[in-house]
Amino acid sequence: MSIYARVYGEQVFELIETDGDITALYHPSMVWVCVDGIEPMPAAGWKAVEVDGAWQFSAPGLAVAPLPLAEVVAAERFRRESTGVVVEGLAIETTRDSQALIASTGLSAVLDPDYRCNFKTADGFVEIGAAQIITIAKSVRAHVQACFDREFALLRAIEAGEYHDEMLSQGWPDSLPPDPAELQ
C-alpha cells in the first residue's frame, strides 16, 4: 500500500492509501504525489510545491523554499486559467481537458451549422446548438488568452525590475478561483 496526496492550488487537498495504480484510479488532470517515507507525513491543508521535479511539503505557517518569480507567475496563470467562465448564464469549466473538449465541439459546430449536443456545464447538462457552442468556444479561448497575456505582462515587469508582489493578484480576467472548501 502507498499513500498519495492530492495537490490542488499548491495545497494538499486530501490523502488516500491504495495499492492500485493511482493514474488509473482518478482523472489524469488530478495531481497525485506519493508521500511514502516523507516525515512528517503531510496532511490536508499543508502547502505543497514542486521544486526541480521534487515535491516539498510544509505545515500551515511554515515556509517552503520560494519559487522563482517566473514560476510563481506561471502557477498563478494556470490557476486562473482553470477557474471557469460564465457564458450566457452557463458555468463553463476551463480546465485543460475542458478546453480540448470545447475546441473539438466548436469544430463540429463550425463544420455543421445544424449541430446540436448535450453539453455538460459546471451545473449539469444542457442542450445547445452550433451558434451557442461557438460563443462558448470563443469565450473560453478569450479567457485563456487573457490569462496568458497577463502572465506575459507580469514576466515583462519582472524583467524590467518593475514587478511588485501585489501585481500577482491584479489584472487577471474576471473569474473567481474555486473555493477549496466547496470542493470537499
Side-chain angles (χ1 to χ4, degrees):
M1 294 288 253
S2 289
I3 300 174
Y4 293 88
R6 181 161 70 106
V7 176
Y8 179 81
E10 294 189 356
Q11 186 173 351
V12 174
F13 188 74
E14 65 181 318
L15 294 167
I16 66 159
E17 187 173 1
T18 182
D19 59 357
D21 176 8
I22 196 76
T23 61
L25 295 173
Y26 294 93
H27 192 275
S29 66
M30 293 180 153
V31 177
W32 290 98
V33 179
C34 183
V35 293
D36 291 344
I38 295 179
E39 292 295 330
M41 176 68 67
W46 280 38
K47 180 107 172 132
V49 295
E50 189 177 17
V51 178
D52 297 328
W55 284 92
Q56 296 180 2
F57 300 92
S58 63
L62 296 180
V64 174
L67 292 174
L69 278 177
E71 289 182 36
V72 171
V73 169
E76 183 67 9
R77 186 259 316 136
F78 183 77
R79 187 176 76 83
R80 299 290 182 136
E81 171 188 338
S82 303
T83 59
V85 294
V86 175
V87 181
E88 297 180 351
L90 300 175
I92 307 297
E93 292 183 6
T94 57
T95 63
R96 291 286 170 94
D97 288 342
S98 296
Q99 290 176 49
L101 292 171
I102 291 166
S104 65
T105 305
L107 178 60
S108 294
V110 168
L111 295 173
D112 179 3
D114 296 323
Y115 181 75
R116 298 191 67 73
C117 70
N118 292 313
F119 186 87
K120 189 171 184 182
T121 70
D123 298 321
F125 282 97
V126 295
E127 184 179 342
I128 58 176
Q132 196 170 16
I133 292 167
I134 291 169
T135 299
I136 289 169
K138 285 180 172 181
S139 296
V140 168
R141 185 64 217 142
H143 167 78
V144 171
Q145 188 59 54
C147 290
F148 276 97
D149 291 346
R150 181 61 183 153
E151 177 185 11
F152 182 71
L154 291 174
L155 293 175
R156 287 283 173 100
I158 291 168
E159 291 170 3
E162 299 168 353
Y163 177 85
H164 303 285
D165 289 341
E166 62 274 359
M167 294 171 72
L168 187 62
S169 63
Q170 302 168 350
W172 298 99
D174 290 333
S175 61
L176 297 175
D179 180 357
E182 292 176 8
L183 298 173
Q184 296 181 4

